Short mmCIF file of all heavy atoms in Angstrom, two decimals:
data_model
loop_
_atom_site.label_atom_id
_atom_site.label_comp_id
_atom_site.label_asym_id
_atom_site.label_seq_id
_atom_site.Cartn_x
_atom_site.Cartn_y
_atom_site.Cartn_z
N LEU A 15 9.98 13.74 -6.18
CA LEU A 15 9.32 14.55 -5.16
C LEU A 15 9.79 14.20 -3.75
O LEU A 15 9.78 15.05 -2.88
CB LEU A 15 7.80 14.38 -5.24
CG LEU A 15 7.12 14.93 -6.48
CD1 LEU A 15 5.64 14.57 -6.50
CD2 LEU A 15 7.30 16.43 -6.58
N LEU A 16 10.15 12.94 -3.54
CA LEU A 16 10.58 12.52 -2.21
C LEU A 16 12.10 12.46 -2.07
O LEU A 16 12.61 12.05 -1.05
CB LEU A 16 9.95 11.16 -1.85
CG LEU A 16 8.44 11.19 -1.68
CD1 LEU A 16 7.89 9.77 -1.49
CD2 LEU A 16 8.03 12.06 -0.50
N GLY A 17 12.81 12.85 -3.12
CA GLY A 17 14.25 12.98 -3.03
C GLY A 17 15.04 11.69 -3.14
O GLY A 17 16.16 11.62 -2.65
N GLY A 18 14.49 10.68 -3.79
CA GLY A 18 15.22 9.43 -3.96
C GLY A 18 14.34 8.37 -4.59
O GLY A 18 13.19 8.62 -4.93
N GLU A 19 14.90 7.17 -4.72
CA GLU A 19 14.14 6.06 -5.29
C GLU A 19 12.97 5.73 -4.37
O GLU A 19 13.11 5.70 -3.15
CB GLU A 19 15.04 4.84 -5.44
CG GLU A 19 14.33 3.63 -6.03
CD GLU A 19 15.18 2.37 -6.05
OE1 GLU A 19 16.34 2.41 -5.56
OE2 GLU A 19 14.68 1.36 -6.55
N VAL A 20 11.80 5.49 -4.96
CA VAL A 20 10.62 5.14 -4.18
C VAL A 20 10.08 3.78 -4.60
O VAL A 20 10.44 3.26 -5.64
CB VAL A 20 9.49 6.20 -4.33
CG1 VAL A 20 9.93 7.56 -3.82
CG2 VAL A 20 8.99 6.28 -5.76
N TYR A 21 9.23 3.23 -3.75
CA TYR A 21 8.53 2.00 -4.10
C TYR A 21 7.08 2.12 -3.65
O TYR A 21 6.73 2.95 -2.82
CB TYR A 21 9.21 0.76 -3.50
CG TYR A 21 9.03 0.59 -2.01
CD1 TYR A 21 8.04 -0.25 -1.50
CD2 TYR A 21 9.87 1.23 -1.10
CE1 TYR A 21 7.88 -0.43 -0.12
CE2 TYR A 21 9.72 1.05 0.26
CZ TYR A 21 8.72 0.23 0.75
OH TYR A 21 8.56 0.06 2.09
N HIS A 22 6.24 1.28 -4.26
CA HIS A 22 4.82 1.26 -3.95
C HIS A 22 4.64 0.68 -2.56
O HIS A 22 4.95 -0.47 -2.31
CB HIS A 22 4.09 0.42 -5.00
CG HIS A 22 2.66 0.17 -4.68
ND1 HIS A 22 2.20 -1.07 -4.30
CD2 HIS A 22 1.59 0.99 -4.66
CE1 HIS A 22 0.90 -1.00 -4.07
NE2 HIS A 22 0.52 0.24 -4.28
N TYR A 23 4.13 1.49 -1.63
CA TYR A 23 3.94 1.05 -0.24
C TYR A 23 2.58 0.39 -0.07
O TYR A 23 2.47 -0.66 0.53
CB TYR A 23 4.12 2.25 0.69
CG TYR A 23 4.12 1.91 2.16
CD1 TYR A 23 5.01 0.98 2.68
CD2 TYR A 23 3.25 2.54 3.02
CE1 TYR A 23 5.02 0.69 4.04
CE2 TYR A 23 3.26 2.26 4.38
CZ TYR A 23 4.14 1.33 4.88
OH TYR A 23 4.14 1.03 6.21
N CYS A 52 8.32 2.86 9.92
CA CYS A 52 8.94 3.66 8.85
C CYS A 52 9.53 4.86 9.61
O CYS A 52 8.79 5.72 10.08
CB CYS A 52 7.90 4.11 7.83
SG CYS A 52 7.13 2.75 6.95
N PHE A 54 11.38 7.49 8.98
CA PHE A 54 11.48 8.85 8.47
C PHE A 54 10.25 9.18 7.63
O PHE A 54 9.69 8.31 6.97
CB PHE A 54 12.76 9.02 7.64
CG PHE A 54 14.00 8.72 8.43
CD1 PHE A 54 14.62 7.48 8.31
CD2 PHE A 54 14.54 9.65 9.29
CE1 PHE A 54 15.77 7.18 9.04
CE2 PHE A 54 15.68 9.36 10.03
CZ PHE A 54 16.29 8.12 9.91
N PRO A 55 9.84 10.45 7.61
CA PRO A 55 8.66 10.83 6.83
C PRO A 55 8.97 11.05 5.36
O PRO A 55 8.60 12.06 4.77
CB PRO A 55 8.21 12.12 7.52
CG PRO A 55 9.47 12.73 8.00
CD PRO A 55 10.34 11.56 8.41
N ASN A 56 9.67 10.09 4.76
CA ASN A 56 10.02 10.16 3.34
C ASN A 56 8.99 9.37 2.55
O ASN A 56 9.31 8.42 1.84
CB ASN A 56 11.43 9.62 3.11
CG ASN A 56 12.48 10.45 3.82
OD1 ASN A 56 12.32 11.65 3.99
ND2 ASN A 56 13.54 9.82 4.27
N MET A 57 7.74 9.78 2.70
CA MET A 57 6.62 9.03 2.14
C MET A 57 5.60 10.03 1.59
O MET A 57 5.59 11.18 1.98
CB MET A 57 5.98 8.16 3.22
CG MET A 57 6.99 7.27 3.95
SD MET A 57 6.30 6.39 5.34
CE MET A 57 5.56 5.01 4.46
N GLY A 58 4.75 9.54 0.71
CA GLY A 58 3.73 10.42 0.15
C GLY A 58 2.59 9.63 -0.44
O GLY A 58 2.67 8.41 -0.59
N ALA A 147 0.15 5.00 -2.15
CA ALA A 147 1.17 5.52 -1.23
C ALA A 147 2.55 5.02 -1.64
O ALA A 147 2.69 3.86 -2.05
CB ALA A 147 0.85 5.08 0.19
N PHE A 148 3.52 5.89 -1.51
CA PHE A 148 4.89 5.57 -1.86
C PHE A 148 5.80 5.82 -0.66
O PHE A 148 5.57 6.72 0.14
CB PHE A 148 5.37 6.42 -3.05
CG PHE A 148 4.65 6.11 -4.32
CD1 PHE A 148 3.53 6.82 -4.70
CD2 PHE A 148 5.08 5.07 -5.13
CE1 PHE A 148 2.85 6.52 -5.87
CE2 PHE A 148 4.41 4.76 -6.30
CZ PHE A 148 3.29 5.48 -6.66
N ASN A 149 6.83 5.00 -0.57
CA ASN A 149 7.84 5.13 0.47
C ASN A 149 9.20 5.17 -0.22
O ASN A 149 9.39 4.52 -1.25
CB ASN A 149 7.77 3.92 1.42
CG ASN A 149 8.68 4.04 2.62
OD1 ASN A 149 9.20 5.11 2.93
ND2 ASN A 149 8.87 2.94 3.32
N ARG A 150 10.12 5.94 0.34
CA ARG A 150 11.46 5.95 -0.22
C ARG A 150 12.14 4.62 0.07
O ARG A 150 11.97 4.05 1.16
CB ARG A 150 12.28 7.12 0.34
CG ARG A 150 12.79 7.96 -0.80
CD ARG A 150 13.48 9.21 -0.45
NE ARG A 150 14.59 9.04 0.47
CZ ARG A 150 15.26 10.06 0.97
NH1 ARG A 150 14.93 11.29 0.65
NH2 ARG A 150 16.24 9.87 1.81
N ALA A 151 12.90 4.12 -0.87
CA ALA A 151 13.54 2.81 -0.75
C ALA A 151 14.46 2.73 0.48
O ALA A 151 14.54 1.68 1.11
CB ALA A 151 14.32 2.48 -2.02
N ASP A 152 15.11 3.83 0.83
CA ASP A 152 16.02 3.81 1.98
C ASP A 152 15.29 4.00 3.30
O ASP A 152 15.91 4.13 4.35
CB ASP A 152 17.14 4.84 1.81
CG ASP A 152 16.63 6.28 1.69
OD1 ASP A 152 15.40 6.51 1.80
OD2 ASP A 152 17.47 7.17 1.48
N ASN A 153 13.95 4.01 3.26
CA ASN A 153 13.12 4.16 4.46
C ASN A 153 12.37 2.85 4.74
O ASN A 153 11.25 2.86 5.23
CB ASN A 153 12.14 5.32 4.28
CG ASN A 153 11.47 5.73 5.56
OD1 ASN A 153 12.05 5.68 6.63
ND2 ASN A 153 10.21 6.15 5.45
N ASN A 154 12.98 1.75 4.40
CA ASN A 154 12.35 0.44 4.56
C ASN A 154 11.87 0.28 6.00
O ASN A 154 12.61 0.56 6.94
CB ASN A 154 13.38 -0.65 4.22
CG ASN A 154 12.75 -1.88 3.65
OD1 ASN A 154 11.61 -1.86 3.19
ND2 ASN A 154 13.49 -2.96 3.66
N PRO A 155 10.62 -0.16 6.22
CA PRO A 155 10.12 -0.35 7.58
C PRO A 155 11.02 -1.32 8.36
O PRO A 155 11.45 -2.34 7.82
CB PRO A 155 8.74 -0.95 7.39
CG PRO A 155 8.37 -0.65 5.97
CD PRO A 155 9.63 -0.54 5.21
N TYR A 164 10.63 -2.89 0.84
CA TYR A 164 11.22 -2.57 -0.46
C TYR A 164 11.77 -3.82 -1.14
O TYR A 164 12.45 -4.64 -0.53
CB TYR A 164 12.35 -1.56 -0.25
CG TYR A 164 13.16 -1.30 -1.50
CD1 TYR A 164 12.60 -0.65 -2.58
CD2 TYR A 164 14.48 -1.71 -1.58
CE1 TYR A 164 13.34 -0.40 -3.73
CE2 TYR A 164 15.23 -1.47 -2.72
CZ TYR A 164 14.65 -0.82 -3.79
OH TYR A 164 15.39 -0.58 -4.92
#
Side-chain angles (χ1 to χ4, degrees):
L15 292 174
L16 293 173
E19 180 186 1
V20 298
Y21 73 97
H22 172 251
Y23 187 56
C52 296
F54 301 99
N56 297 328
M57 307 174 82
F148 294 94
N149 187 14
R150 236 174 54 185
D152 60 3
N153 193 34
N154 211 17
Y164 172 68

